[in-house]
Amino acid sequence: MTPSSRTSPLSRLAQPLPDLLAFAALAALVVWGVLAGARNLGYHWQWYAVPATLLTWGADGPAAGPLLQGLLLTLALAGTALPLTFCLGLAACLAALSDSFAARAVSRLYLEAVRNTPLLIQIFLLWFVAAPLLGMGRFTAGVLALALFEGAYAAEILRGAVLSLPRGQWEAAHALGLSRAQTYARVVLPQALRRALPPLTGQAVSLVKDSALLSAISLFELTLRAQALVSDTFLTFEIWFTTAGLYLAVNLALSAAARTLERRVRLRG
Amino acid sequence: MAFQADRCDPARAEAKVLGGVIVEARGLRKTFAGGIEALRGVSLAVRQGEVVVVVGPSGSGKSTLLRCLCGLETPDAGEVVTDGARLPGSRRDRDRIRTETGMVFQHFNLFPHLTALANVTLAPRLARGLPADRAEAEARALLGRVGLKDKTGAYPAELSGGQQQRVAIARALAMRPKVMLFDEATSALDPEMIGEVLEVMRGLAAEGMTMVVVTHEMGFAREAGDRVLFMDQGRIEEEAGAAEFFLSPRGERARRFLSRML
């Protein structure tokens, strides 16, 4: 047995050790900080009251508690707004890149107006001004406000992705006699969407979080439910932490789904 | 003239029979933003079955000429007439020029998200309206012809440069073009891959394909070219039969260019 064959498995095991120690130390520091902070707060923690805000057991089986009801509405709002966001973003992106001056002007106006004003005011505008005119319900107005807002960002992400493709792709398609629409559909967008997927995922996560602002027009989604619970029960920290945990869970699931999609459409080679 | 006899290719002893003019350019001018005059009055006529080789220093306007001929650029003055379709002209004419002219680019420009087969079938299906099964059969035949029968399912990133360029040639041929343009088709290739692409191009020429070839491969120009155009500073400086041009270039610039290239 040579010395090297005796020591090498051990040293291989020991190799990530400093890294793991550093991680453990950091984690311990954070946990200690949180615990110390909680102690100093002199707060009376009542975590036992939290499960009832999610699920209640009535006479006829389990029923969704207020937080879970809020989560369901948040999911419905975000789930409806997300495909709409994508369509709006794509339309605005294509308009911004079109040859038509009118299309470019409308697209630019939309992008600048939406991206440079607060979402809260856009929500108010849609609910108090546009909704009565168009006969929209609260839910529709909320979804529309969200989709219009996030769609502007999605448009710029998509535009960047389209412009990042080499010019040769357009030239090859045109030289083969493909029309502009065919080039977009079969050559440019399939490549641009792949490139845009990571930043679009970020935008989808933002959408879920921004849906909290719809509480301002009395849509009883997760954040408004939490607010109501806090003022009823005074379980301030327990409720808000639980709420944050629910947003976290939704967005982690969303990101994981996006990563799976990314892997599946990745180009070979 | 033993020297000259030596250089004559026996296969070309009997003169090639050429058809009527299929591509014509008259007085092409093109100035790009920034005031660069790429073309300053270029005229040329290509007859059916002819192989015209365009040589000249970089920046002489060769690529711009090809890009006008295939309808990617619109000349500022002058016109291109390909098989009756005019540029500048109607959108229909432009689209006809684009479909009837095959273009092979220096950097291949394959579609990276499509397999070799899908790269070749895309345009026939969309622009020629061919049903999928027929487009696929034609594409397989074309890929076989460029020696890539077993690479139909490969993506561009899985192919070597030479293989990619051969797929690009098959892709252009799939539109059944009346003329094929090659814009420095071997310039981006590693030396050991130039041969396989030139081989395909020689084969096309031998089959009677009408070709306009911009190249720095003087060997190919001499063997496969019927006629050589020497371009410099946006003009055609010299025009001669291939053998004649390489033996005795008339102008000083062409002589200097050749002495650098050979």
Side-chain angles (χ1 to χ4, degrees), chain A residues 21-91:
Chain A
L21 281 175
F23 178 75
L26 201 66
L29 198 69
V30 169
V31 169
W32 176 80
V34 168
L35 289 179
R39 219 178 16 255
N40 285 350
L41 221 51
Y43 184 80
H44 178 48
W45 294 93
Q46 294 172 277
W47 282 106
Y48 63 85
V50 166
T53 63
L54 293 166
L55 268 181
T56 53
W57 293 89
D60 35 75
L67 279 189
L68 200 57
Q69 283 177 26
L71 179 66
L72 290 178
L73 182 58
T74 290
L75 287 178
L77 286 164
T80 320
L82 196 58
L84 202 58
T85 295
F86 181 75
C87 296
L88 265 171
L90 191 58

Side-chain angles (χ1 to χ4, degrees), chain A residues 169 171 174-175 186 191 268, chain B residues 67 98 110-113:
Chain A
Q169 293 292 306
E171 293 181 347
H174 284 157
R186 308 302 291 273
Q191 295 182 62
R268 250 203 283 158
Chain B
R67 294 166 61 85
R98 284 178 174 180
L110 289 181
F111 305 132
H113 59 301

Side-chain angles (χ1 to χ4, degrees), chain B residues 38 63 65 69-70 84 88 117 133 135 150 179 194 209 239 244 250:
Chain B
S63 285
L65 171 63
L69 292 182
C70 76
L117 189 70
D133 53 337
D150 52 340
V179 54
I194 291 175
M209 173 60 80
E239 183 175 349
E244 191 191 333
R250 287 186 296 263

